[in-house]
Amino acid sequence: MNEENQVYFIDSDKLPPTALERKHRLEQDPSFRTNHMEYMEGMQVIQSDIKDKVLRAMEEYDYDAYTAGDVERALSHESCSIEDFKALLSPAAAPYLEQMARKAEELTKNHFGNTVYIFTPLYIANYCQNYCIYCGFNCYNNIRRKKLTFEEIEHEMQVIAKTGMEEILMLTGESRAYSDVKYIGEAVKIARKYFKNIGIEIYPVNVDEYQYLHECGVDYVTVFQETYNTDKYETLHLMGHKRVWPYRFDAQERALMGGMRGAGFSALLGLDDFRKDALATALHVYYINRKYPHAELSLSCPRLRPIVNNDRINPRDVGEKELCQVLCAYRIFLPFAGITVSSRESATFRNGIAKICATKVSAGVSTGIGDHEEKYEGKEDDNVGDEQFEINDDRSFGKMYEDMEQGGLQPVLNDYIYV
Ligand code: SF4
């Protein structure tokens, strides 16, 4: 491993002087950082014009130029154009939230009935070689690191499967050195024994690696772009392969080229201008859908949450009203797309939004490593890795199922059968 990719998983105060100096220089001196638009060695380049289209639209988007008339026109149209979507995301649409919610609800019912999918995430490792300044897992942060053994993975999965859950999203920190593709593939093969639908949220990889992971049993791939603003992205992702913005952008397309059934998209709202990031995320999905009409596409809408050992991030305020506006606009523009609302949001918000436009919720969530038995069955265990962020809705699978049913929704655990 060269100096550039050296990973430090210890207290910042105990970093070797050269590492500490490097960390400070990365933070303070932009010229010390690598070019975030240049691919690193080994990163596959694919031919795709989607990036340019999304970036152009984002750059041109002047949301303050939209009026109440534009919003009313957008709401009156049977299908939502890109221009209509821009109006629905604009501040001018804020007073129309109720009408937007009604339209979104109708479209959700038309496309998904009254169903809501339930899944759970499982973090199998929290080692990370990147320095994203807003994340508790970043390589300079002093947290307990852990990578589950295959035995531990199987045990965690047994504990989760016992609850009745059928879909799992497997996550790692982003470290090829500690959680290589083979390790993830073997973990997926274990998951196949217990779950019917498997997603991964790992570092972006090349087409042949996605193909291998699909053969191991992965159904869909989720990649968060964090922010689509390339300049802002540069100031937040200071080191590691994640710094390369275009390689990350093309990840979902490479995953589909590798045979994956579906792909998930997201910006982390609050990192930058949320309206522009929401526009870019939805357009990313829109253009991928036109190019790969068979793919099952979905969006998530996370907002920044407080992080262990990090007081340097002040999330730009995205309140629940703004979040609701973004989600309704997503539904109206992309009626076919799945929308996931994570446990970063409160139980009240998730109960409400599931009736309007969300189609998938997580339950029984832990963002720690190897602590499902402790959380699900109350058995104490010191040998666990720290959590990535605090969650807001800690409902168990059983409670979530019950609450969704009581809200008039039909919980769905899986709708796909391999023959
Ligand atoms: S956001 Fe992901 S890549 Fe960045 S430090 Fe956290 S775990 Fe690593």
Side-chain angles (χ1 to χ4, degrees):
M1 193 183 298
N2 62 27
E3 157 99 14
E4 176 130 318
N5 293 323
Q6 181 65 53
V7 194
Y8 300 104
F9 298 124
I10 51 176
D11 193 325
S12 308
D13 297 339
K14 295 177 198 147
L15 288 172
T18 48
L20 204 53
E21 191 192 330
R22 180 176 170 76
K23 177 177 184 284
H24 290 150
R25 278 198 73 186
L26 284 167
E27 286 162 1
Q28 285 153 16
D29 179 3
S31 69
F32 189 62
R33 304 174 205 149
T34 56
N35 183 345
H36 64 297
M37 299 305 280
E38 235 170 56
Y39 289 77
M40 289 177 181
E41 204 186 320
M43 290 181 171
Q44 183 179 10
V45 182
I46 57 168
Q47 292 312 315
S48 177
D49 61 352
I50 296 180
K51 267 191 297 303
D52 294 340
K53 287 182 183 162
V54 169
L55 284 179
R56 203 173 323 120
M58 197 179 165
E59 204 172 300
E60 289 167 1
Y61 183 34
D62 176 9
Y63 44 75
D64 287 325
Y66 291 84
T67 64
D70 296 324
V71 177
E72 285 170 18
R73 247 188 316 281
L75 285 169
S76 72
H77 292 157
E78 200 156 315
S79 70
C80 182
S81 67
I82 294 177
E83 217 32 47
D84 290 337
F85 177 56
K86 287 178 177 172
L88 296 177
L89 274 182
S90 75
Y96 294 87
L97 200 49
E98 215 177 304
Q99 289 96 312
M100 284 176 68
R102 275 205 297 274
K103 192 170 172 100
E105 188 179 349
E106 192 188 319
L107 286 164
T108 305
K109 289 232 156 69
N110 289 347
H111 287 263
F112 297 90
N114 67 341
T115 57
V116 61
Y117 292 77
I118 303 181
F119 76 105
T120 202
L122 172 65
Y123 285 75
I124 59 172
N126 64 2
Y127 288 91
C128 187
Q129 285 170 259
N130 293 310
Y131 185 19
C132 311
I133 64 168
Y134 53 85
C135 176
F137 278 4
N138 85 60
C139 68
Y140 287 119
N141 204 6
N142 176 29
I143 62 166
R144 276 177 299 174
R145 303 283 173 176
K146 186 166 168 66
K147 167 186 168 184
L148 297 181
T149 63
F150 294 125
E151 290 72 33
E152 287 170 326
I153 289 173
E154 181 136 20
H155 184 65
E156 287 279 285
M157 288 177 176
Q158 284 166 344
V159 172
I160 294 169
K162 233 171 29 186
T163 65
M165 208 94 73
E166 295 184 10
E167 175 174 342
I168 198 164
L169 173 64
M170 297 170 62
L171 301 97
T172 62
E174 299 199 8
S175 171
R176 267 187 189 268
Y178 280 79
S179 332
D180 61 19
V181 172
K182 186 94 184 29
Y183 167 74
I184 296 167
E186 290 303 314
V188 170
K189 287 182 196 167
I190 300 171
R192 260 285 152 237
K193 294 201 268 179
Y194 298 97
F195 301 98
K196 296 189 179 141
N197 202 10
I198 299 170
I200 51 168
E201 198 175 315
I202 62 162
Y203 47 87
V205 298
N206 292 342
V207 173
D208 60 335
E209 293 169 310
Y210 280 126
Q211 198 172 353
Y212 162 73
L213 290 168
H214 180 56
E215 282 160 12
C216 291
V218 178
D219 296 290
Y220 65 94
V221 170
T222 293
V223 181
F224 285 11
Q225 189 64 29
E226 316 298 12
T227 176
Y228 284 80
N229 177 342
T230 58
D231 292 341
K232 182 72 183 195
Y233 188 94
E234 188 279 327
T235 65
L236 299 169
H237 307 95
L238 304 187
M239 190 181 82
H241 61 269
K242 185 169 175 180
R243 189 163 162 75
V244 182
W245 187 94
Y247 184 67
R248 195 167 189 87
F249 184 99
D250 284 334
Q252 288 92 344
E253 192 165 353
R254 290 194 305 275
L256 296 173
M257 290 164 76
M260 293 288 175
R261 219 172 74 215
F265 301 74
S266 175
L268 182 50
L269 299 185
L271 284 180
D272 194 53
D273 187 324
F274 78 89
R275 295 180 205 278
K276 289 202 172 208
D277 268 332
L279 174 77
T281 312
L283 286 179
H284 196 174
V285 174
Y286 173 82
Y287 289 121
I288 289 278
N289 171 251
R290 287 164 69 112
K291 200 164 167 184
Y292 303 89
H294 62 282
E296 295 173 21
L297 306 180
S298 65
L299 296 135
S300 348
C301 218
R303 296 187 289 166
L304 269 180
R305 300 284 307 147
I307 299 158
V308 186
N309 299 342
N310 195 334
D311 54 7
R312 289 188 298 135
I313 294 290
N314 296 309
R316 291 223 194 163
D317 202 28
V318 186
E320 285 191 352
K321 269 193 181 157
E322 288 80 9
L323 183 59
C324 187
Q325 183 185 344
V326 168
L327 289 167
C328 289
Y330 278 169
R331 170 57 64 231
I332 296 168
F333 180 50
L334 304 166
F336 59 85
I339 294 181
T340 304
V341 179
S342 81
S343 57
R344 291 172 190 245
E345 303 305 331
S346 70
T348 312
F349 183 84
R350 296 216 291 168
N351 288 348
I353 208 73
K355 290 183 199 157
I356 299 170
C357 54
T359 53
K360 203 184 229 190
V361 290
S362 51
V365 175
S366 165
T367 62
I369 315 294
D371 60 357
H372 278 84
E373 190 163 39
E374 187 179 333
K375 291 220 163 135
Y376 283 27
E377 298 172 4
K379 291 190 186 153
E380 278 191 30
D381 186 356
D382 290 337
N383 186 26
V384 299
D386 272 341
E387 303 203 339
Q388 189 182 25
F389 54 83
E390 297 167 19
I391 61 170
N392 217 343
D393 181 359
D394 62 358
R395 276 178 289 179
S396 66
F397 168 61
K399 178 80 175 102
M400 179 64 82
Y401 196 103
E402 201 182 298
D403 287 355
M404 290 295 125
E405 267 191 331
Q406 271 175 12
L409 296 167
Q410 171 61 57
V412 176
L413 307 184
N414 175 51
D415 66 353
Y416 199 85
I417 297 172
Y418 280 93
V419 286

